[in-house]
Amino acid sequence: MNDLVRQHTALSDTDLEWLHLLVSEWQLLSDLSFADLVLWVPTRDGTRYVSVAQMRPNTGPTSYQDDMVGHLVPRGRRPLLDAALDEGRIVREGDPEWREEVPVRVESIPVRREGRVLGVIARNTNLLTVRTPSRLELTYLQSASDLAQMIAAGSFPFPGQQVDMDASPRVGDGLVRLDADGVVQYASPNGLSAYHRLGLASDLVGQHLGGITAELAPSRGPVDEALVKLASGYAPREFEVECAGGVIQLRAIPLKPKGVRIGSLVLLRDVTELRRRERELITKDATIREIHHRVKNNLQTVAALLRLQARRMDSPQGREALNEAVRRVGSIAIVHETLSQNLDERVEFDEIADRVIAMVAEISPGKVTCRRTGRFGILDAEVATPLAMVLTEVLQNALEHAFGVAESGTVEVSAVRGGSPTEGRLLITVQDDGCGLPEGFDPQRAGNLGLQIVRTLVAGELGGSFGMVPAPERGTQVVLDIPVRVDK
């Protein structure tokens, strides 16, 4: 719509915002009218109309099989559009049109904003299935007529009240028509069922909707007065009412076809099951986060016990082996701590990598600087946990074997995300400027425990590849290539 309006018309940005607000609401008018809506706006030179938006009804058959958006018609071809635009009134004159052997009644509704007519809504009703209307259909049509008059007067849609139609109640979910005092004139079967869910034992017609809603809802003191007013439809609002029996979502729409409120429409939907499922999900999320938190606490307890045991060891080899185990357990605990703070099973791994780097750097025998470049990005938990251990082992190996006791140097961890649109890759490089690899060293056959863990986790858990080669200038370079989920 933005492109069509800016390309063909002279409307301002504020006028365009009004049209967007109208289009966000006009599913309501289409459903109440049982009719297709097409929004026509005059072109910049005033010789043609361009259709910038279209809506089909959910309550009846469509009048247009084809998409009308983008069509241009010369002024004069559709007299109803000309009359509505020039005279600023709703035009209903004329015989039905025949489209593909289907009779269609056409009406034109001017779209007014601040006294100016911006365009015209063509309301097209398929008459093929016309029959004697029921009380429900008569209420729909009367409400549609009131809304059309409000659009023509510039009082609908309501400024600042843009509604998310995907989340708001729709006409078919349930409808209640109120008079100016808030008394129910008509309630659709779905609307009545929703109030029965709240505990109403009688009919709604003749009841004051605000009063009966406040009675059914749990007592909340002074808030009840606000609820009475909201449910009486005095202002355009959306709210929920919850009691032991269920939850209903309500949307109040004051009707002012001639500038004075003659009543209100209240759309309502039973959202009891939806809210129950949301609470279950919240409970499950809280449980999962609590599990991660407890796992983290247990791992930290294990690490503390291993650290105490290491201090009591007389053997330097045994003490070092326990300290390595402490760091391995610590890297897993970091992942679970991060997961305990998230609502899903995905983590921002850059924070984990920085903490692992800081933890391992504490064992540096000399003045070795560890740093990270690039971004790991967001990773799944099943990737983050083994990757944290792999990073711990590789860094630990570099700090232990690349530098002497008093040597200084640098270890750099680099991460690059890439791959195809359907299959992501994470390329990790850990490079030091230490003494390099021993002569004849084969990382795929080396027997030390750290490299065995790396090979097992990279190939088995992560489904990637691992390599260790001399760095281009000095030192050693470890390269990890791991498949990861593509972020969308």
Side-chain angles (χ1 to χ4, degrees):
M1 186 166 73
N2 288 351
D3 294 339
L4 289 170
V5 168
R6 287 169 179 153
Q7 180 183 352
H8 295 285
T9 79
L11 296 182
S12 66
D13 288 342
T14 52
D15 292 335
L16 180 57
E17 287 177 13
W18 183 261
L19 295 185
H20 274 294
L21 188 60
L22 172 66
V23 168
S24 73
E25 294 271 26
W26 71 344
Q27 180 75 63
L28 173 63
L29 177 62
S30 178
D31 289 345
L32 289 172
S33 304
F34 309 99
D36 290 76
L37 306 178
V38 180
L39 177 58
W40 296 94
V41 180
T43 57
R44 192 175 286 106
D45 58 9
T47 61
R48 296 181 296 176
Y49 297 96
V50 58
S51 58
V52 298
Q54 179 179 1
M55 178 58 66
R56 292 184 172 91
N58 293 318
T59 52
T62 183
S63 302
Y64 286 110
Q65 297 302 321
D66 299 325
D67 190 357
M68 295 296 295
V69 175
H71 281 220
L72 289 160
V73 297
R75 185 177 171 88
R77 180 176 294 179
R78 302 195 176 184
L80 296 185
L81 292 183
D82 298 339
L85 184 69
D86 297 339
E87 301 172 23
R89 65 180 179 88
I90 299 173
V91 182
R92 297 190 173 94
E93 298 90 357
D95 297 325
E97 296 180 3
W98 286 83
R99 300 176 189 161
E100 298 179 357
E101 300 183 355
V102 175
V104 177
R105 183 175 64 240
V106 181
E107 305 166 87
S108 294
I109 305 166
V111 177
R112 192 183 302 273
R113 174 182 175 267
E114 295 181 352
R116 294 167 45 243
V117 177
L118 307 183
V120 179
I121 295 175
R123 181 163 56 174
N124 303 269
T125 307
N126 187 325
L127 300 178
L128 197 61
T129 58
V130 168
R131 52 185 172 78
T132 303
S134 64
R135 178 75 188 280
L136 171 70
E137 291 164 334
L138 288 173
T139 303
Y140 277 19
L141 292 171
Q142 180 58 55
S143 301
S145 177
D146 294 335
L147 283 177
Q149 292 181 57
M150 291 170 65
I151 292 172
S155 58
F156 186 83
F158 304 108
Q161 292 288 327
Q162 188 160 356
V163 174
D164 180 3
M165 291 306 297
D166 291 332
S168 294
R170 298 198 177 198
V171 170
D173 295 325
L175 178 143
V176 176
R177 172 89 186 215
L178 309 179
D179 65 13
D181 297 322
V183 176
V184 178
Q185 293 179 310
Y186 176 79
S188 72
N190 284 346
L192 184 59
S193 295
Y195 265 83
H196 284 166
R197 185 71 177 263
L198 289 182
L200 179 69
S202 60
D203 194 2
L204 268 176
V205 175
Q207 303 262 25
H208 188 278
L209 190 67
I212 201 70
T213 303
E215 288 178 15
L216 294 171
S219 178
R220 296 177 294 178
V223 183
D224 288 346
E225 295 181 12
L227 181 59
V228 169
K229 207 155 192 176
L230 286 173
S232 299
Y234 287 101
R237 291 288 186 273
E238 196 168 309
F239 58 99
E240 287 189 4
V241 176
E242 180 175 1
C243 66
V247 185
I248 60 171
Q249 181 183 16
L250 298 97
R251 183 190 173 199
I253 304 167
L255 297 175
K256 303 176 181 178
K258 296 181 180 179
V260 178
R261 194 175 73 86
I262 62 167
S264 305
L265 273 186
V266 178
L267 305 181
L268 57 152
R269 177 171 58 181
D270 184 349
V271 292
T272 305
E273 290 304 310
L274 180 62
R275 296 294 176 260
R276 182 184 63 80
R277 289 172 187 169
E278 286 177 353
R279 291 190 185 100
E280 286 180 355
L281 288 174
I282 291 171
T283 302
K284 288 178 181 177
D285 286 339
T287 302
I288 291 170
R289 292 170 67 179
E290 178 63 21
I291 289 171
H292 284 303
H293 182 71
R294 293 190 183 191
V295 169
K296 183 263 297 183
N297 288 344
N298 290 339
L299 289 172
Q300 288 181 337
T301 301
V302 172
L305 292 173
L306 292 173
R307 196 176 292 112
L308 285 172
Q309 188 65 44
R311 291 173 184 169
R312 296 174 179 269
M313 292 284 292
D314 295 328
S315 167
Q317 292 87 353
R319 189 181 308 114
E320 182 56 32
L322 286 176
N323 285 331
E324 287 183 4
V326 167
R327 287 186 285 276
R328 288 167 185 147
V329 172
S331 66
I332 302 174
I334 290 172
V335 177
H336 282 283
E337 182 178 1
T338 305
L339 287 168
S340 71
Q341 299 167 2
N342 294 338
L343 289 176
D344 55 15
E345 290 292 289
R346 307 195 76 198
V347 295
E348 177 62 66
F349 196 80
D350 293 332
E351 178 187 348
I352 294 173
D354 291 341
R355 293 181 62 181
V356 167
I357 290 169
M359 178 183 68
V360 178
E362 294 176 358
I363 70 166
S364 171
K367 299 179 180 179
V368 179
T369 301
C370 296
R371 62 171 180 259
R372 172 180 64 85
T373 61
R375 290 192 70 249
F376 288 84
I378 298 175
L379 299 177
D380 294 331
E382 57 264 28
V383 173
T385 302
L387 183 57
M389 286 197 66
V390 167
L391 192 58
T392 301
E393 297 299 332
V394 172
L395 287 168
Q396 195 166 276
N397 190 69
L399 292 173
E400 285 183 359
H401 301 293
F403 306 99
V405 175
E407 288 182 345
S408 61
T410 302
V411 177
E412 182 174 299
V413 179
S414 170
V416 178
R417 292 287 285 262
S420 67
T422 57
E423 181 181 357
R425 309 294 299 183
L426 175 60
L427 185 65
I428 305 166
T429 304
V430 181
Q431 182 170 316
D432 65 68
D433 55 2
C435 61
L437 295 171
E439 188 72 28
F441 179 79
D442 183 359
Q444 303 301 331
R445 296 179 179 272
N448 85 56
L449 178 60
L451 288 181
Q452 287 182 21
I453 291 174
V454 170
R455 289 196 298 267
T456 300
L457 290 178
V458 170
E461 294 288 324
L462 298 173
S465 61
F466 158 70
M468 182 181 284
V469 296
E473 296 182 2
R474 182 173 185 268
T476 304
Q477 187 179 74
V478 176
V479 180
L480 305 169
D481 187 0
I482 298 167
V484 292
R485 189 202 299 188
V486 177
D487 289 328
K488 296 182 179 179

